[in-house]
């Protein structure tokens, strides 16, 4: 339901709001309605601001109604599913790992992954120094494991793992033997008695059998404080999505001050699409900058360099760099990933999204005012 809402319904609504906001002003200019408006003592900046405000309110109304229906459906459906499927109703805050180490001997290291042989030959150790649980608090603690597993046995995708979670100061802890499955994370609830008067815990993992192996990195174990704050988390996700609506309205209205309706619709949709693939544009620009796509480095070409291709590469690189700077980065507004993982959206993320939107919208509003003032209607 969440995926359908944020990736289908919201996108369709955005396309609809683009069609409305991109065509309103051009149609008023075409049927001369704008002449009556501008004949009154009202500045053109207020006309633009009014358009933005009007379509923003429409967007907010539609988003609130659809969001309410979606969250009601999610809560109703999810509560009827098995316990593991209800993880999305969590709002977890991550406690960062402070130290990662290997006790004993590592079997080998490949591509940054440390592989450990079973039978206590080596032990992976994660230390967390900020997981203090206040007495009487309504949230619990859990550890999430993403270790890689291998076995010398044929067709084995599950191995036993010894997992110990202990208080780093008192040494009080609990050891469990859990089943680790290939490419499947697992969670372990942390006994509240382990985290008492200090905030440091140590988590160790190793395969039980000598024929088994685990591959680990510092980020493979994560500790979360868990609380039931899905509604609050969902509200923050909807607010970030609203900022996305607002920004695309501003961009569409800006284009409508100088472009015809069909051209503005096309340009707004292109900006909307490119804003979601900005990472690809940046990566492609980096590829052109650091790799010789046309084989200029070959011996034959180095003797007789193709000046046209060299300038073409340089021009493409500059264009892509400017695109990556000018285009809005809509990936900043991707809040679905937090909801699906049951992770609390940090307030800092909301503030950064709000600041980015205000800055970009302010620049667009200034450009819109300049363009609209230069148009002659009388």
């Amino acid at each position: 339901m969440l995926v359908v809402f944020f990736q289908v319904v919201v996108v369709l609504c955005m396309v609809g709001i683009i069609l409305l906001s991109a065509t309103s002003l051009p149609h008023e200019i075409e049927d001369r309605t704008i002449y009556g408006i501008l004949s009154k003592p009202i500045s053109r900046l207020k006309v633009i601001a009014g358009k933005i405000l009007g379509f923003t309110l429409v967007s907010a109304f539609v988003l609130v109604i659809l969001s309410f229906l979606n969250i009601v459906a999610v809560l109703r459906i999810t509560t009827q599913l098995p316990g593991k499927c209800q993880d999305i109703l969590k709002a977890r805050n991550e406690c960062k790992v402070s130290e990662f180490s290997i006790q004993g001997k590592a079997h080998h290291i490949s591509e940054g992954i440390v592989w450990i042989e079973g039978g206590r030959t080596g032990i992976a150790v994660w230390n967390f120094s900020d997981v203090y649980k206040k007495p009487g608090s309504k949230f619990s603690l859990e550890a999430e494991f993403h270790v890689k597993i291998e076995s010398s046995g044929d067709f084995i995708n599950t191995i036993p793992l010894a997992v110990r979670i202990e208080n780093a100061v008192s040494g009080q802890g609990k050891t469990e033997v859990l089943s680790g499955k290939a490419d499947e994370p697992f969670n372990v609830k942390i006994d509240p008695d382990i985290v008492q008067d200090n905030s440091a815990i140590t988590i160790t993992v190793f395969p039980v059998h000598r024929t088994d192996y685990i591959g680990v990195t510092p980020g493979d174990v994560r500790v979360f404080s868990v609380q039931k704050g899905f509604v609050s988390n969902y509200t923050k996700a909807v607010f970030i999505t609203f900022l996305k609506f607002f920004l695309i309205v501003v961009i569409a209205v800006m284009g409508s001050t100088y472009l015809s309706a069909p051209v503005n619709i096309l340009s707004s949709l292109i900006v909307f699409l490119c804003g979601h693939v900005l990472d690809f544009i940046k990566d492609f620009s980096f590829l052109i900058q650091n790799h010789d796509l046309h084989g200029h480095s070959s011996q034959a070409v180095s003797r007789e360099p193709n000046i046209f291709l060299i300038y073409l590469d340089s021009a493409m690189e500059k264009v892509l760099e400017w695109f990556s700077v000018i285009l809005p980065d809509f990936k900043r507004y991707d809040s679905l990933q937090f909801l699906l993982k049951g992770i609390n959206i940090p307030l800092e993320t909301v503030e950064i999204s709000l600041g980015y939107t205000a800055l970009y919208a302010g620049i667009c509003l200034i450009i819109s005012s300049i363009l609209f003032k230069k148009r002659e209607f009388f």
Side-chain angles (χ1 to χ4, degrees), residues 174-185:
K174 182 179 180 181
T175 303
E176 299 180 77
V177 177
L178 305 172
S179 295
K181 296 183 179 180
D183 302 321
E184 184 175 321

Side-chain angles (χ1 to χ4, degrees), residues 273-290:
L273 176 62
C274 292
H276 286 86
V277 294
L278 201 58
D279 290 339
F280 171 78
I281 295 176
K282 292 178 180 178
D283 292 341
F284 192 65
S285 174
F286 179 80
L287 181 66
I288 293 177
Q289 183 178 1
N290 292 275

Side-chain angles (χ1 to χ4, degrees), residues 64-79:
V64 167
I65 297 298
L66 294 178
S67 299
F68 176 77
L69 295 176
N70 181 63
I71 193 173
V72 170
V74 168
L75 293 174
R76 184 172 182 178
I77 294 174
T78 307
T79 51

Side-chain angles (χ1 to χ4, degrees), residues 310-324:
I310 293 176
Y311 278 110
L312 181 61
D313 277 355
S314 178
M316 288 180 60
E317 177 190 337
K318 295 298 181 182
V319 169
L320 291 175
E321 285 181 358
W322 276 104
F323 270 1
S324 64

Side-chain angles (χ1 to χ4, degrees), residues 115-136:
W115 288 91
I116 299 173
E117 186 180 9
R120 300 186 69 91
T121 303
I123 301 175
V125 182
W126 290 265
N127 292 308
F128 297 85
S129 59
D130 190 20
V131 291
Y132 178 61
K133 184 179 184 297
K134 296 181 180 179

Side-chain angles (χ1 to χ4, degrees), residues 10-27 55 58-59 244-256 260-273 276 330:
V10 168
V11 171
L12 291 177
C13 290
M14 283 192 174
V15 172
I17 206 67
I18 287 174
L19 296 177
L20 290 175
S21 55
T23 58
S24 176
L25 190 56
H27 285 168
F55 289 116
V58 172
S59 302
K244 188 177 180 179
F245 268 91
F246 172 71
L247 187 56
I248 196 63
V249 165
V250 172
I251 293 172
V253 172
M254 179 183 68
S256 69
S260 63
V263 175
N264 191 31
I265 291 174
L266 181 61
S267 62
S268 298
L269 290 175
I270 291 175
V271 170
F272 179 71
L273 176 62
H276 286 86
F330 286 121

